[in-house]
């Protein structure tokens, strides 16, 4: 983990926007006009997907992928002018939010400025022509980071954008040497102190396949040397396989718990139900209450929460990256769907996790029953501190959206210190309702429950 990564990033929410599809206009200015609504969700950081001009050669679709960039140092005229971009970032800052932009440094479009001016900075096939190492990315050509002059150019480019933005989401970051990212981080810290670094880390199979082919591909553990936050693709497919019936819920819980031991103490994962590369959550989870319950669990996890524009409206269809395909803000473009507004829940859940406990806790997840996840955060203490009465949070998430009775020992079993949840009456912080714990058990409706409690050590551990 980067030494200066602050744990408070775990309490932040990132809102991801593809300008082209965010509105009918598809412009910086149209997005700027909607900033108050975005801020009301609880958004701390707006992530703008690539804002640069898109290449024309080998273009996918009618408008091309935003990840096939022609010029790293310009904005896409489709979105507006550089002045419009600066006005947008200024407004974001004035409204108390930060902004990060996409950095796509593994590849460019075949007709990019760099391909014309510095062809020696690119990967070349045996016949000497440009190429890429990932076959289905046929609209891009790969850069070659064996060229140190390329490092200087790319870092200088980051410094240019750091005049306006607070950080960077780095596309397929593992395919670029970690040493480059470490140098970039060190140099950017001098011009943008506290710069935020988010890595699109990759699936374990993708790492293994690339390494088999002799291609650089860093693991999450390596990526954390340079980055503050990494994607949770190391566990996402366990979540997906549970939804499709291929794995039990316990396998997903175990995958999450492994993260607590295998990453640095200040690790931060980007937690999401959806992003621009995967299916919409409402497509995967069509039952409305189940979707709301999963949303609550995502916020309750240890890490920074991501909301992809349109998720708050229950959008069903994943927008195309290659054509004009505005977000389905009415949530009506799926089978048997109706309009859905999750805005208030998102804002409330974000408010709950502002408690410092969520920034510095021991975290544990359990499949307490079939289709029911439970999780706890217990505040980490100083070595000499008493363990009795430690601030903690418990969450129960009935993913099948059915009432159930929970034995709370199942929730804490396997957690560090195996804390006890005392009997008593608690407030469900999501909706203000009361929940009762009696003789170590509690009844849960079809809705999620989050409550705060004073964790006590098991009887055998108390002096």
């Amino acid at each position: 983990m980067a030494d200066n990564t602050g744990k408070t990033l775990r309490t932040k929410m990132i809102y991801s926007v593809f300008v082209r599809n965010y509105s009918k206009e598809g412009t910086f200015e149209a997005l700027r006009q909607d900033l108050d609504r975005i801020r009301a969700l609880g958004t701390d950081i707006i992530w703008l997907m690539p804002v640069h001009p898109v290449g024309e050669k080998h273009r996918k679709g009618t408008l091309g992928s935003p990840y096939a960039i022609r010029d790293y140092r310009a904005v896409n005229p489709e979105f507006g002018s550089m002045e419009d971009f600066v006005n947008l970032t200024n407004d974001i800052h004035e409204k108390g939010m930060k902004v990060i932009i996409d950095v796509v440094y593994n590849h460019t479009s075949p007709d990019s400025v760099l391909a014309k001016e510095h062809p020696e900075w690119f990967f070349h096939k045996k016949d000497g022509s440009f190429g890429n190492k990932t076959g289905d990315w046929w609209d891009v050509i790969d850069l070659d980071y064996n060229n140190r002059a390329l490092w200087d150019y790319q870092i200088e480019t980051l410094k240019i954008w750091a005049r306006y933005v607070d950080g960077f989401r780095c596309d397929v970051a593992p395919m670029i040497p970690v040493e480059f990212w470490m140098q970039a981080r060190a140099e950017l810290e001098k011009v943008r102190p506290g710069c935020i670094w988010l890595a699109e880390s990759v699936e374990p199979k993708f790492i293994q396949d690339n390494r088999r082919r002799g291609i650089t591909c860093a693991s999450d553990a390596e990526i954390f040397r340079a980055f503050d936050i990494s994607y949770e693709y190391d566990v996402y497919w366990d979540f997906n396989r549970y939804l499709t019936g291929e794995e039990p819920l316990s396998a997903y819980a175990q995958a999450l718990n492994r993260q607590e031991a295998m990453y640095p103490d200040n690790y931060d994962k980007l937690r999401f139900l959806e992003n621009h590369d995967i299916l919409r959550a409402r497509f995967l989870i069509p039952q409305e209450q189940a979707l709301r319950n999963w949303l609550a669990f995502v916020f309750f996890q240890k890490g920074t929460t991501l909301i992809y524009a349109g998720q708050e409206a229950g959008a069903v269809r994943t927008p195309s990256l290659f054509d004009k395909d505005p977000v389905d803000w009415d949530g009506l473009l799926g089978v048997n769907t109706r309009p859905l507004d999750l805005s208030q829940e998102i804002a409330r859940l974000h408010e709950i996790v502002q408690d410092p406990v969520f920034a510095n806790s021991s975290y544990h997840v359990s499949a307490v029953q079939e289709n029911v996840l439970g999780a706890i955060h217990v505040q980490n203490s100083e070595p000499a501190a008493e363990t009795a009465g430690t601030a903690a949070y418990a969450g129960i998430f009935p993913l099948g959206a059915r009432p159930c009775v929970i034995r709370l020992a199942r929730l804490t079993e396997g957690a560090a210190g195996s804390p006890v949840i005392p009997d008593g009456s608690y407030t469900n912080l999501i909706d203000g309702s009361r929940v009762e714990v009696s003789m170590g058990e509690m009844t849960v409706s079809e809705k999620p429950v989050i409550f705060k409690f004073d964790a006590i050590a098991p009887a055998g551990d108390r002096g």
Side-chain angles (χ1 to χ4, degrees):
M1 195 77 191
D3 292 339
N4 59 345
T5 295
K7 293 182 179 180
T8 56
L9 278 173
R10 293 170 174 165
T11 66
K12 305 304 181 185
M13 186 178 95
I14 298 176
Y15 188 84
S16 173
V17 173
F18 181 27
V19 174
R20 178 194 292 165
N21 287 339
Y22 184 80
S23 63
K24 292 180 180 179
E25 298 86 354
T27 61
F28 294 131
E29 178 59 23
L31 173 59
R32 191 181 71 83
Q33 295 295 328
D34 205 30
L35 290 179
D36 286 335
R37 186 195 68 81
I38 295 173
R39 183 69 186 101
L41 292 171
T43 301
D44 300 292
I45 304 163
I46 293 179
W47 154 27
L48 300 176
M49 289 168 58
V51 297
H52 310 299
V54 175
E56 296 182 6
K57 188 174 182 181
H58 298 168
R59 175 176 281 187
K60 289 183 177 181
T62 57
L63 296 177
S65 168
Y67 292 92
I69 291 172
R70 193 170 72 246
D71 186 353
Y72 289 127
R73 298 185 174 182
V75 297
N76 190 340
E78 174 190 342
F79 302 162
S81 65
M82 187 65 190
E83 182 181 6
D84 293 330
F85 174 79
V86 173
N87 288 340
L88 172 62
T89 59
N90 286 342
D91 239 22
I92 290 172
H93 290 140
E94 287 174 8
K95 294 181 185 298
M97 296 179 285
K98 294 186 176 183
V99 56
I100 63 176
I101 60 170
D102 238 307
V103 171
V104 188
Y105 271 10
N106 179 67
H107 47 257
T108 74
S109 68
D111 53 353
S112 68
V113 169
L114 288 189
K116 294 174 182 176
E117 296 181 356
H118 291 284
E120 73 278 12
W121 290 355
F122 285 80
F123 165 74
H124 294 271
K125 295 185 288 188
K126 289 182 179 180
D127 63 5
S129 62
F130 291 126
N132 71 69
K133 306 181 190 76
T134 305
D136 59 340
W137 299 352
W138 44 262
D139 59 336
V140 296
I141 54 176
D142 285 0
L143 288 157
D144 181 357
Y145 280 81
N146 288 314
N147 296 281
R148 287 287 173 154
L150 172 61
W151 290 37
D152 296 337
Y153 181 92
Q154 299 291 59
I155 292 172
E156 186 59 34
T157 301
L158 293 173
K159 291 178 180 178
I160 292 171
W161 290 107
R163 300 171 189 166
Y164 314 108
V165 305
D166 305 285
F168 305 96
R169 179 268 186 189
C170 302
D171 191 62
V172 288
M175 297 191 74
I176 297 160
V178 174
E179 290 73 20
F180 166 80
W181 294 121
M182 293 176 69
Q183 181 176 327
R185 182 187 182 102
E187 294 197 27
L188 265 291
E189 192 65 21
K190 299 172 185 175
V191 298
R192 175 64 79 166
C195 186
I196 300 165
W197 294 88
L198 165 60
E200 185 201 21
S201 47
V202 295
E203 300 90 339
K205 186 177 185 301
F206 188 80
I207 295 172
Q208 293 170 318
D209 286 347
N210 275 289
R211 288 178 174 177
R212 177 181 55 81
R213 298 166 57 213
I215 299 169
T216 295
C217 202
S219 67
D220 284 24
E222 293 169 297
I223 278 292
F224 272 138
R225 293 165 60 200
F227 285 86
D228 300 308
I229 312 167
S230 80
Y231 270 43
E232 62 167 352
Y233 278 151
D234 54 329
V235 298
Y236 173 79
W237 292 106
D238 293 285
F239 157 75
N240 187 276
R241 284 189 286 268
Y242 163 70
L243 293 180
T244 57
E246 300 169 76
E247 282 188 5
L249 189 60
S250 59
Y252 177 51
Q254 290 166 8
L256 290 169
N257 289 332
R258 282 194 295 271
Q259 292 179 332
E260 278 286 275
M262 68 190 297
Y263 297 131
D265 177 60
N266 61 338
Y267 83 95
D268 192 355
K269 280 289 182 175
L270 187 69
R271 305 300 187 179
F272 51 80
L273 287 180
E274 60 183 66
N275 63 53
H276 67 268
D277 281 325
I278 57 179
L279 292 169
R280 287 282 195 184
R282 198 178 183 190
F283 179 91
L284 287 170
I285 310 166
Q287 209 273 356
E288 183 176 320
Q289 188 57 55
L291 178 63
R292 294 177 187 274
N293 297 350
W294 271 111
L295 178 68
F297 176 67
V298 167
F299 272 91
F300 196 77
Q301 287 204 66
K302 179 183 278 189
T304 302
T305 307
L306 174 70
I307 298 294
Y308 179 38
Q311 181 177 345
E312 69 271 37
V316 178
R317 193 192 69 248
T318 304
S320 169
L321 292 181
F322 314 129
D323 302 283
K324 179 63 177 173
D325 189 11
V327 170
D328 171 27
W329 288 107
D330 295 322
L332 298 176
L333 298 184
V335 178
N336 298 324
T337 60
R338 63 185 183 85
L340 183 62
D341 185 359
L342 299 172
S343 300
Q344 291 186 351
E345 277 152 290
I346 289 171
R348 177 57 187 149
L349 290 163
H350 175 265
E351 184 179 13
I352 291 170
V353 301
Q354 298 315 294
D355 189 304
V357 171
F358 290 94
N360 186 25
S361 70
S362 293
Y363 177 63
H364 184 76
V365 185
S366 303
V368 294
Q369 286 187 18
E370 183 181 5
N371 300 326
V372 182
L373 270 180
I376 57 170
H377 286 267
V378 179
Q379 188 171 40
N380 289 333
S381 60
E382 296 299 322
E386 290 289 332
T387 57
T390 303
Y393 282 83
I396 308 293
F397 308 93
L399 305 176
R402 295 178 180 175
C404 55
V405 177
I406 300 298
R407 186 164 60 85
L408 292 177
R410 290 287 304 276
L411 178 64
T412 59
E413 185 179 14
S418 300
V420 174
I421 301 175
D423 284 358
S425 180
Y426 299 92
T427 300
N428 182 356
L429 297 174
I430 299 175
D431 61 11
S433 61
R434 301 300 291 175
V435 291
E436 301 292 331
V437 175
S438 179
M439 298 180 67
E441 297 186 351
M442 68 179 292
T443 299
V444 180
S445 73
E446 74 278 4
K447 297 180 180 181
V449 172
I450 295 174
F451 63 93
K452 190 173 185 178
F453 68 99
D454 288 330
I456 59 176
D461 293 345
R462 297 198 296 273

